[in-house]
Amino acid sequence: MNSILTIRDLLRKVYAGYGAVIKPLFKIVLAFFMLSLIEKQMGYSNMLARPVVICAASVICAFFPYGFISFVCAIFVIGNMFEVSVMMAGFTALVGMLIFVLYYGYKPGTGIIISIVPLMFYFKLPFIVPVILGLSVGFYSAVPAALGVVCWNVISYFLENADSMTSAGGLEIADEIISVARTIFTNEYMYLVIFAFILCIAAVSIISKSSLNHCWLISVSVGIVILAAVMVLGGSYLGSDSFTSDIIGLLISFILAFAYVSVIYAVDFSRTEHLSYEDDDYYYYVKAVPKIRTDKNER
């Protein structure tokens, strides 16, 4: 464990000294990975699948906030859909515009979450997302997380039905858009996942900010229990066939969240200090818990 904390502190020092270079490079790598994954799973557009296009789009992302990566990913997704079905591309564009209005009218600044959620669904680890968001971002991350769930359901619908889709025209497009919207937005399992995400983020956010000892571990445990309860009970009621995969995903998510807390929120509760002081208007009570450091002075 000490070696892991040493590496953590070393990475922090490197980032503090070279953050101006590391941050844009990380954006490029993240964008390249996500765009390559989109093309691997879809690959209907020959132009967007070209390495030079993916590289150019990834480099452009380095000069914009992280949320811009979500915008570029949306363009690639819609571009691939357009090659298969004008109707599906149009519907996804409408959903994207609605997400843009809802998100940027609420609290911009965490737009990358909208892309991270579908990515974690792809890797069968969606339940780690609300736990980490509750710990690191706070309750307001529930909105982009919920929008990310909607995005994943739109993409999943397309991937499952791409072979049967055709590029219709005229009034048929409007009729098909209504049909697709009805299918996607009446998906009860999607709303179950959104409900579980919101409850988990709220619980983890509240408990992790409390003054309890080991509050981060407690919040992670409570968050996973909430997710498990909602998904198991709700999934059983809806007759979902993803029970086994949900349980496995929850177990893996708990292990990853536990590791995340152990490394990022490593503190020594045995050295906790309680301070109190006052001014003309208030009494102040402070609980100070030292972080675990691995520099020479601490050792």
Side-chain angles (χ1 to χ4, degrees), residues 229-275:
V230 173
M231 296 309 301
V232 171
L233 296 177
S236 299
Y237 176 78
L238 297 176
S240 173
D241 57 356
S242 60
F243 178 81
T244 302
S245 61
D246 286 346
I247 294 299
I248 295 175
L250 285 165
L251 291 175
I252 297 176
S253 297
F254 177 75
I255 294 172
L256 293 177
F258 181 84
Y260 177 81
V261 169
S262 299
V263 174
I264 303 300
Y265 298 97
V267 296
D268 186 358
F269 284 102
S270 65
R271 296 165 55 198
T272 300
E273 297 182 13
H274 295 273
L275 310 175

Side-chain angles (χ1 to χ4, degrees), residues 9 11 14 16-17 22 36 39 46 65 71 96 102 106 112 129 140 151-152 164 180 182 186 202 240 254 292-294:
D9 292 342
L11 291 176
V14 171
I22 294 174
S36 299
E39 291 305 316
N46 293 328
F71 176 73
L102 290 175
Y106 171 70
I112 189 61
V129 174
Y140 63 83
C151 290
W152 171 247
S164 61
V180 171
R182 184 180 297 113
T186 57
S240 173
F254 177 75
I292 297 178
R293 299 289 187 182
T294 58

Side-chain angles (χ1 to χ4, degrees), residues 17-71:
Y18 304 96
V21 176
I22 294 174
K23 189 174 181 179
L25 287 177
F26 180 75
K27 290 180 183 178
I28 293 174
V29 173
L30 179 61
F32 181 83
F33 174 74
M34 298 181 72
L35 296 178
S36 299
L37 188 60
I38 290 172
E39 291 305 316
K40 178 183 177 181
Q41 293 302 306
M42 295 184 170
Y44 296 105
S45 174
N46 293 328
M47 183 187 70
L48 295 177
R50 295 176 181 175
V52 64
V53 175
I54 296 176
C55 291
S58 302
V59 171
I60 292 174
C61 291
F63 300 96
F64 293 90
Y66 279 102
F68 187 75
I69 298 177
S70 295
F71 176 73

Side-chain angles (χ1 to χ4, degrees), residues 111-239:
I112 189 61
I113 296 173
I114 300 175
S115 293
I116 294 297
V117 172
L119 181 66
M120 298 312 293
F121 268 101
Y122 173 79
F123 288 111
K124 309 297 183 183
L125 292 172
F127 301 115
I128 188 64
V129 174
V131 176
I132 299 301
L133 291 180
L135 285 170
S136 304
V137 182
F139 181 71
Y140 63 83
S141 62
V143 171
L147 296 176
V149 175
V150 174
C151 290
W152 171 247
N153 277 269
V154 173
I155 295 172
S156 296
Y157 178 87
F158 172 76
L159 293 176
E160 293 172 1
N161 300 277
D163 294 338
S164 61
M165 292 181 180
T166 58
S167 294
L171 296 177
E172 294 180 8
I173 295 180
D175 294 336
E176 291 192 23
I177 286 178
I178 293 174
S179 176
V180 171
R182 184 180 297 113
T183 301
I184 292 176
F185 290 107
T186 57
N187 184 349
E188 294 178 328
Y189 185 78
M190 179 183 75
Y191 293 108
L192 177 67
V193 174
I194 291 175
F195 179 66
F197 272 36
I198 293 174
L199 282 183
C200 177
I201 291 173
V204 173
S205 177
I206 293 172
I207 296 175
S208 65
K209 291 179 173 58
S210 69
S211 60
L212 296 172
N213 285 351
H214 308 286
C215 59
W216 299 292
L217 289 177
I218 295 173
S219 66
V220 166
S221 302
V222 172
I224 293 295
V225 169
I226 290 175
L227 288 172
V230 173
M231 296 309 301
V232 171
L233 296 177
S236 299
Y237 176 78
L238 297 176

